[in-house]
Amino acid sequence: MVRHSSLLFGSMMALASVWTTCALADAPNGFAGTFSGEYDKPSCSGCSNVDAWGVDGSGAFGLGTNDLAVEVDGGYHNLTGGGSSVDLWNIGGDLFWAGQMGRAGATLNYTAVDTSGINAHVTQYGVFGEYY
């Protein structure tokens, strides 16, 4: 069971790095957003029953000018099987300026992984810029 938990924890941390990556976009006029959900029940010979489900959402909106905007991302995912459960959730976003010659901004993301006996919390922050 310990090996299974370690493998599960490592897999969830790898997925967390994918889910918390914000997409950089041009400053929208108005609001642009997405919402998605998933459910998965994989099966294999000799495996215990596993249920995986989650929801994700993302939205971007301008701040009254054509060049300054905010993007907000969040999600929750749960993996249950083999007598254990893993909860993974994230929230984050970007404040950015998107001009005709480039883009620059700041980003902040928080991810939490909670399971039986193991809890991990990661905060990522930084700045970004592009010239094109």
Side-chain angles (χ1 to χ4, degrees), residues 31-36 56-60 72-74:
F31 178 82
T34 62
F35 182 79
S36 64
D56 290 298
S58 181
V72 179
D73 303 297

Side-chain angles (χ1 to χ4, degrees), residues 10 14 16-17 22 31 57-58 60 69 72 74 78 82 86 93 105 121:
S17 66
C22 294
F31 178 82
S58 181
V72 179
N78 178 273
V86 176
H121 305 274

Side-chain angles (χ1 to χ4, degrees), residues 49-106:
N49 290 335
V50 175
D51 289 305
W53 65 273
V55 294
D56 290 298
S58 181
F61 52 91
L63 295 177
T65 69
N66 287 338
D67 295 341
L68 192 60
V70 172
E71 178 183 357
V72 179
D73 303 297
Y76 174 79
H77 299 269
N78 178 273
L79 178 64
T80 305
S84 64
S85 178
V86 176
D87 293 311
L88 170 68
W89 65 273
N90 63 288
I91 185 84
D94 302 317
L95 171 64
F96 62 96
W97 171 83
Q100 291 189 11
M101 298 294 289
R103 180 180 3 217

